[in-house]
Amino acid sequence: MKRYHPVIAIILGNIITGFLGGFVIILPISLLSHILVIFIFVLGGFSATYLSRTNKATIGFYNSLLYSISSLIGAIFIFKTGLTPNKVLILFIYFPILGLIGGFIAKTLRSRRGNEN
């Protein structure tokens, strides 16, 4: 499998996260939508780390952090929404940690398969 530069892998991970996150917007706010968001951010961190040349779990962290920053900019400047401190806390602490967990899973999987580059 072809491995990409970490910046390209982060961009691809953000595309995957954004594409799958678009489906969650359709759902009503419920426990299922919260579980799907958790799964999507872990999957985004996993895909960014797995597609990267370097086998570092921090690639998943950077993927989710970049997605959180772009979401914050979009929420404030484009959609003109007021964010509470709890939502900002979720954007900048909770989501990057989920991406880091996905990156750690990808790193462990690649190490066990022996595909370290």
Side-chain angles (χ1 to χ4, degrees), residues 44-84:
F46 176 86
S47 61
T49 303
Y50 195 77
L51 292 174
S52 174
R53 263 187 231 149
T54 60
N55 194 18
K56 295 182 180 178
T58 55
I59 300 295
F61 175 80
Y62 294 138
N63 173 52
S64 297
L65 186 64
L66 181 67
Y67 190 82
S68 295
I69 291 170
S70 62
S71 296
L72 179 70
I73 290 170
I76 291 174
F77 295 115
I78 296 173
F79 298 114
K80 307 276 190 226
T81 59
L83 293 176
T84 62

Side-chain angles (χ1 to χ4, degrees), residues 8-10 31-32 45 48 52 78 93 107 111:
I8 295 172
I10 289 172
L31 182 62
L32 175 66
S52 174
I78 296 173
I93 293 178
K107 178 184 176 192
S111 296

Side-chain angles (χ1 to χ4, degrees), residues 11-26 40 67:
I11 291 170
L12 290 173
N14 274 328
I15 290 171
I16 291 169
T17 304
F19 180 74
L20 294 175
F23 292 116
V24 177
I25 294 173
I26 300 169
I40 287 169
Y67 190 82

